[in-house]
Amino acid sequence: MAPPKPFPILRLPFLAIEEVFKTMHPFEIINFSMISKRTKGIAKQMGFHTKYSIYLFIIETLGIRFLGTKSKVSCSYAITSNKEMDGKIEEFVSGRVIRRKVFKYSNNPIEEWKELCKYVLDIFKKQTIDVLKMFMDAFVDQNVSIIDFLKTNWKSVDECYLYQSKEKNDVDEHAAYLLDNLTVKKELFFLLHHKNGDFDVKIPKNLSELYIYNSQCIGYKKLLEIDCKNVILKGNQITNEEWNMFLKKWIAMETNQNLKWLNFEFSSLEEFRELEYHMKWWMEQSNEPSRLIVKKRMK
């Protein structure tokens, strides 16, 4: 039996080619764009870029992920220094979600990942990173280079997750550098173990959600500067007296105008009961008691 003849896609009218692109997943789009300058030009003319969200991840491997419409299809490239993983493809179905992952070997994974990201930025016309997940101690020597690369090529990131794999590692300086140089627009999850008691992190304003796992660095003065909608502070060192002052300012609308939901911790049951008493009294006096929605958790 003779093999099937190649499909002459480049001979089709533009609208027909566009319909073909609608059936292609990101791997096929990228592979098609790499055939020639003409195919790259055609790919860049398509309107598929609005269909996908772009995730960047920097863990033990570096990668880029495409999340399709309604989160039904996920395609990822992972750059690895493990030769045995080169070319391997992982695919599995979870419910109605299809996940595909392709591994690519490189003896210089950082630079290979940067080149891939720039190529995707060009083809998919993405000016904003939808999600960035970064272990700050995965490639410590390259952190500044990676952050400078992100700042140069993308205007902002919608959701930012900062981790570290080992508590003993000191990544405070690099975490502060990232937040000084990359605009976070919607959500920031700060899951780091600070080594410096005077760590002065720049918290973006107007976030829809801020989660700080190790919030010893958030004192009363810094708390007044946080102007985000939903705030979760784990392990804070703010005193009962300072919480009282803060809540009074908050209800009077003298500070934290965007704050609607606050989750924080108390060091003792007695401390919680004392603060709860003041909260009830202030809510009765407030003209806008709905502004004060506080979730309490015991350590």
Side-chain angles (χ1 to χ4, degrees):
M1 182 176 180
K5 294 182 179 180
F7 183 71
I9 184 173
L10 297 181
R11 296 180 184 177
L12 297 175
F14 181 82
L15 291 178
I17 295 176
E18 200 168 34
E19 291 300 313
V20 173
F21 265 79
K22 291 179 181 179
T23 68
M24 297 166 70
H25 59 65
F27 294 155
E28 292 170 333
I29 293 171
I30 292 174
N31 289 338
F32 175 85
S33 72
M34 290 180 173
I35 295 173
S36 67
K37 289 183 178 180
R38 185 184 177 192
T39 58
K40 182 178 181 180
I42 291 173
K44 291 174 66 174
Q45 294 180 57
M46 296 296 124
F48 59 81
H49 55 276
T50 59
K51 179 180 175 180
Y52 296 102
S53 299
I54 301 294
Y55 290 25
L56 302 184
F57 55 90
I58 303 159
I59 315 175
E60 69 276 358
T61 58
L62 301 100
I64 183 167
R65 178 185 177 199
F66 308 86
L67 189 61
T69 306
K70 298 181 181 179
S71 302
K72 296 292 180 63
V73 179
S74 169
C75 297
S76 304
Y77 282 106
I79 310 300
T80 177
S81 57
N82 184 351
K83 285 186 177 181
E84 295 181 1
M85 294 297 293
D86 188 35
K88 289 192 175 181
I89 301 174
E90 294 180 352
E91 182 170 333
F92 65 93
V93 178
S94 177
R96 298 177 63 184
V97 179
I98 301 173
R99 301 183 185 276
R100 301 185 181 98
K101 190 173 185 179
V102 175
F103 290 87
K104 188 177 188 312
Y105 165 76
S106 174
N107 59 5
N108 192 345
I110 299 289
E111 293 305 315
E112 186 90 18
W113 176 78
K114 289 180 182 179
E115 289 302 315
L116 176 61
C117 288
K118 285 193 291 186
Y119 192 85
V120 167
L121 172 65
D122 188 29
I123 297 296
F124 284 77
K125 304 175 186 177
K126 287 291 184 177
Q127 298 300 317
T128 296
I129 304 169
D130 294 284
V131 178
L132 171 65
K133 294 188 177 182
M134 182 173 181
F135 275 77
M136 301 301 298
D137 54 351
F139 300 91
V140 175
D141 294 341
Q142 297 291 330
N143 275 348
V144 173
S145 172
I146 290 172
I147 294 166
D148 288 343
F149 166 77
L150 296 175
K151 177 186 176 182
T152 300
N153 290 281
W154 278 276
K155 293 181 179 179
S156 60
V157 55
D158 285 343
E159 299 177 25
C160 182
Y161 298 77
L162 301 181
Y163 306 90
Q164 66 184 95
S165 58
K166 296 182 180 180
E167 185 174 344
K168 65 180 182 179
N169 295 334
D170 186 350
V171 295
D172 286 355
E173 183 178 348
H174 289 161
Y177 184 72
L178 184 145
L179 293 177
D180 281 340
N181 287 277
L182 193 64
T183 301
V184 181
K185 295 174 61 177
K186 295 181 180 179
E187 300 179 8
L188 173 61
F189 296 81
F190 212 77
L191 299 101
L192 304 176
H193 299 275
H194 304 298
K195 297 297 177 292
N196 304 316
D198 58 348
F199 179 54
D200 186 18
V201 61
K202 177 184 175 182
I203 303 296
K205 294 184 180 297
N206 301 317
L207 296 175
S208 60
E209 185 157 352
L210 171 66
Y211 179 99
I212 303 182
Y213 172 75
N214 227 357
S215 63
Q216 292 93 334
C217 62
I218 304 297
Y220 177 69
K221 182 178 179 181
K222 179 66 69 175
L223 177 64
L224 296 178
E225 297 174 3
I226 294 177
D227 202 14
C228 304
K229 186 176 180 180
N230 298 323
V231 178
I232 302 173
L233 300 177
K234 303 282 288 183
N236 69 84
Q237 299 295 316
I238 299 171
T239 67
N240 185 40
E241 181 181 1
E242 290 171 335
W243 277 121
N244 282 326
M245 291 190 297
F246 166 75
L247 290 172
K248 192 171 184 177
K249 283 180 174 291
W250 183 20
I251 292 177
M253 299 186 71
E254 296 175 0
T255 188
N256 304 75
Q257 298 293 314
N258 289 315
L259 183 58
K260 300 295 181 183
W261 188 90
L262 177 63
N263 180 334
F264 58 98
E265 297 176 331
F266 301 89
S267 59
S268 69
L269 183 60
E270 292 73 20
E271 181 183 354
F272 167 72
R273 286 172 176 168
E274 180 182 352
L275 185 54
E276 185 180 42
Y277 171 80
H278 289 291
M279 286 165 54
K280 288 180 178 178
W281 183 86
W282 284 328
M283 290 178 70
E284 290 172 359
Q285 304 301 314
S286 173
N287 292 325
E288 295 187 48
S290 61
R291 288 191 73 242
L292 185 59
I293 306 173
V294 182
K295 186 176 181 180
K296 293 82 64 177
R297 287 186 179 179
M298 295 301 298
K299 287 184 179 180

